[in-house]
Structures are given as C-alpha cells and as structure tokens.
C-alpha cells in the first residue's frame, strides 16, 4: 500500500471533514444511534440508556469529535454513570476516548493489545490522509481501558442487558459486537457495512491482521443471533439482511479470487478482472478501492 492508496481508499475523492454532525435517533426503547450520514471516517455511534447506567459504543475520531459524542451521551444519559466501549481499535471508532474521563472504558483483550501495538502507527497513517483528517487528530491521546475482558462480558445497565462479544481475528484482531438480546439490536462495527465494500486493512508489513475466511465465520455467528436491527460500522441502520449481504460478498470475493488464482492469474490480474464485475454487481456500494485489498488478503491466507 502506498499512502495515497490508503488515502483514496479511506477518504474517497472529495475531502469531507470527518466530523460528527448527526443527531441521535431512537431505534429501540432507550437505544440511540447517531448516524454517520455516510461521511467517510465517521462511524455510526450508539448510546444505550438503562435505568441505572448508559453505554456508549464508539467515539468517532479525535478529541473534538469525542467531546461532541460525550455531550450527546450526557444529554441522553443525564447523570447516570457512563460506560464506553468501542467496536475495534481503528481511529475513527475509538480515538475520541479521551473525552470520556468520567466513563468506565471496557475493551476486550485483543482490542487492548492491538491499540497498544498499532495505535500510534494508525495515528501516523491517518495523518497522511489529508489536512481534514490530520486536523481531527491534533491533540489525540490513546486512552487505556479501565476494564479488560476475555471473550465475553455482560453489562446490566438497569432494565437493559448488553452482551459484548469477540471471536478474535476478522476485520481486526479484536472486533467486538454489542448485542441487546431483549431488543435484538446488534452493533457490528466494521464487520458489517451498509452499501460499502468490506474494509480490508491489509497493509503488510505494517498491519496484516485481517482474515477474510475467519471474518465469514464470524458473520455466520452474527446471523445466528437473529438480530432485528443491525447498526453497521458505516452506512444506514438496517436488518439482518445487512449481515447476509456482507457474508455473501466476502464468499464471492474469496471464491472468485481462488478460482482465478487457480487458473494462474496474479494479484493484479485478478483485481483487474474482479473490480469491474463487483462494481457492476453492487452498483450502489461505495469504497470500491477496498476490493483490491480484499483480493490480496485472500491470496495471503
Ligand atoms: Zn475498521
């Protein structure tokens, strides 16, 4: 990957400031989403408000976005104690955590270790994505969690049960989902997007902690949860069909990559064949730059 490839892949053609401007929408009783508005490098943000405490899911990127999200959380939660978790260590999902000085921050072990190992690398990489991105990273601090769990953790917010789960390596080493079994609401982070090609952060030698086949297996686990409402990492809130669409795309990308490789095609030739086909198959999906990264990732498995 060159830096300009990454910038194009992550930011797109038009420089739009990665700033949270959405207002919270209640998608289930006490469950709010601040929509990303399909702005590059802004995630969907969740706030779950129980009787006794509230949980924030993802912060957006940088201290100023973090303050905005913290302010929204306080509006919704009043003086309830706040928990903060993030879906994974990527900057646009978690690098506003420093605004949550009054919150208990909960990460799984892989997330915590991945932030420790690659957090600064990603700050440095994202700073090359253009002045709009670099501006949001000014003054960023990488914040350590207060609580680290292995595999599974449950939170009782008071009338709101929340399950935090990870199945390890997929889009990152420690992708975490947030599931509310009573409301059947699932926050997926970047395991699932709505009308964006799956993001493969396959940047060897700096970062190759992404695995498409394990990702497919995780999506099968998510389908078994039978969520009614799926909040993707990026793009509009939807239903369980978003998970199936992501899985089917990854399965197709894997099978076509392997078929063409079996016929002797190299990575560049496979990408040249598949990119136009997939863009035609998914005409309203954005961020097609990630198709190439996905091909290279499946070839590396
Ligand atoms: Zn991500």
């Amino acid at each position: 990957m060159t830096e300009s490839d990454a910038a194009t892949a992550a930011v797109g053609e038009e420089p739009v400031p990665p700033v949270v401007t959405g207002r919270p929408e209640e998608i289930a009783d006490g469950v709010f989403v601040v929509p990303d508005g399909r702005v590059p490098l802004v995630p969907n943000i969740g706030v779950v408000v129980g009787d006794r405490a509230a949980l924030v899911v993802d912060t957006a990127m940088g201290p100023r976005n973090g303050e905005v999200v913290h302010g929204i959380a306080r509006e919704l939660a009043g003086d309830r104690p706040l928990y903060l978790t993030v879906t994974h260590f990527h900057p646009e999902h978690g690098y506003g955590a420093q605004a949550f000085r009054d919150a208990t921050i909960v990460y799984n072990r892989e997330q915590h270790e991945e932030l420790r190992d690659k957090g600064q690398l990603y700050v440095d990489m994202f700073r090359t994505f253009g002045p709009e991105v670099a501006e949001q990273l000014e003054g960023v601090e990488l914040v350590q969690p207060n609580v680290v769990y292995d595999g599974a953790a449950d939170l009782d917010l008071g009338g709101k049960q929340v399950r935090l789960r990870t199945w390890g390596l997929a889009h990152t080493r420690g992708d975490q989902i947030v599931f509310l079994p009573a409301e059947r609401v699932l926050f997926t982070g970047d395991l699932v997007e709505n009308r964006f090609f799956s993001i493969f952060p396959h940047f060897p030698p700096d970062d190759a902690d992404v695995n498409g086949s394990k990702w497919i297996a995780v999506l099968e686990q998510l389908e078994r949860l039978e969520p009614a409402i799926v909040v993707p990492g990026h793009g509009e809130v939807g239903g369980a069909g978003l998970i199936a669409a992501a899985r089917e795309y990854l399965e197709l990308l894997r099978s076509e990559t392997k078929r063409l490789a079996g016929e002797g095609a190299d990575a560049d030739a496979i990408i040249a064949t598949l990119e136009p086909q997939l863009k035609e198959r998914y005409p309203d999906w954005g961020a097609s730059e990630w198709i190439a990264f996905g091909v290279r990732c499946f070839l590396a498995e």
Side-chain angles (χ1 to χ4, degrees):
M1 179 193 72
T2 67
E3 287 169 351
S4 66
D5 285 342
T8 304
V11 182
E13 300 295 324
E14 299 290 322
V16 179
V19 172
V20 175
T21 58
R23 293 295 304 158
E25 296 172 5
E26 192 165 17
I27 59 167
D29 183 37
V31 184
F32 299 84
V33 169
V34 182
D36 70 338
R38 300 186 74 82
V39 175
L41 299 181
V42 171
N44 287 313
I45 290 155
V47 183
V48 182
V49 182
D51 295 333
R52 289 198 307 272
L55 170 69
V56 178
V57 182
D58 284 353
T59 67
M61 184 172 64
R64 283 161 296 284
N65 277 316
E67 289 293 345
V68 168
V69 173
H70 180 267
I72 290 170
R74 272 280 161 241
E75 274 175 41
L76 296 170
D79 58 4
R80 292 171 180 83
L82 284 183
Y83 291 92
L84 169 68
T85 196
V86 301
T87 53
H88 57 300
F89 86 102
H90 281 156
E92 75 273 32
H93 294 269
Y95 289 16
Q98 70 203 73
F100 287 79
R101 287 172 290 274
D102 56 347
T104 302
I105 303 177
V106 183
Y107 291 174
N108 67 56
R109 188 166 306 282
E110 290 79 9
Q111 272 181 308
H112 182 212
E113 292 176 357
E114 201 163 22
L115 180 67
R116 181 196 63 201
D117 293 349
K118 296 187 291 195
Q120 189 59 45
L121 175 85
Y122 269 75
V123 171
D124 296 341
M125 187 200 299
F126 272 53
R127 278 191 178 129
T128 70
F129 289 1
E132 297 81 7
V133 179
E135 184 186 346
Q136 294 307 320
L137 286 167
E138 271 173 32
V140 71
E141 295 167 16
L142 301 179
V143 175
Q144 300 303 308
N146 304 104
V147 177
V148 175
Y149 73 88
D150 288 298
D154 293 343
L155 292 176
D156 180 353
L157 304 175
K160 283 271 176 297
Q161 304 296 321
V162 180
R163 295 179 182 164
L164 309 181
R165 295 289 183 273
T166 180
W167 288 273
L169 180 66
H171 164 76
T172 62
R173 271 192 236 159
D175 301 287
Q176 173 186 267
I177 59 101
V178 176
F179 184 54
L180 284 74
E183 294 79 4
R184 296 173 58 214
V185 174
L186 176 66
F187 294 85
T188 65
D190 283 344
L191 293 168
V192 176
E193 321 288 11
N194 190 347
R195 293 190 299 113
F196 289 106
F197 288 96
S198 304
I199 298 167
F200 277 84
H202 182 72
F203 310 140
D206 293 332
D207 187 2
D209 295 326
V210 47
N211 185 294
S213 290
K214 291 184 175 174
W215 191 340
I216 289 166
V218 170
L219 292 176
E220 289 168 350
Q221 297 284 341
L222 301 189
E223 288 179 284
R224 278 183 212 123
L225 295 174
E226 299 185 344
I229 300 174
V230 172
V231 183
H234 301 274
E236 297 80 0
V237 173
L242 295 184
I243 307 171
R247 177 180 50 72
E248 285 161 14
Y249 164 67
L250 292 178
E251 287 171 343
L252 179 63
L253 185 65
R254 177 174 64 180
S255 65
E256 285 299 284
T257 296
K258 296 204 165 166
R259 182 180 66 78
L260 292 164
E263 292 172 1
D266 67 5
D268 289 338
I270 294 170
I271 291 162
T273 301
L274 291 186
E275 236 179 26
Q277 289 177 3
L278 291 166
K279 286 161 78 169
E280 193 178 323
R281 186 182 178 96
Y282 300 100
D284 60 346
W285 286 23
S288 60
E289 298 86 356
W290 291 111
I291 295 169
F293 290 90
V295 167
R296 293 183 196 283
C297 186
F298 277 119
L299 288 174
E301 276 186 8

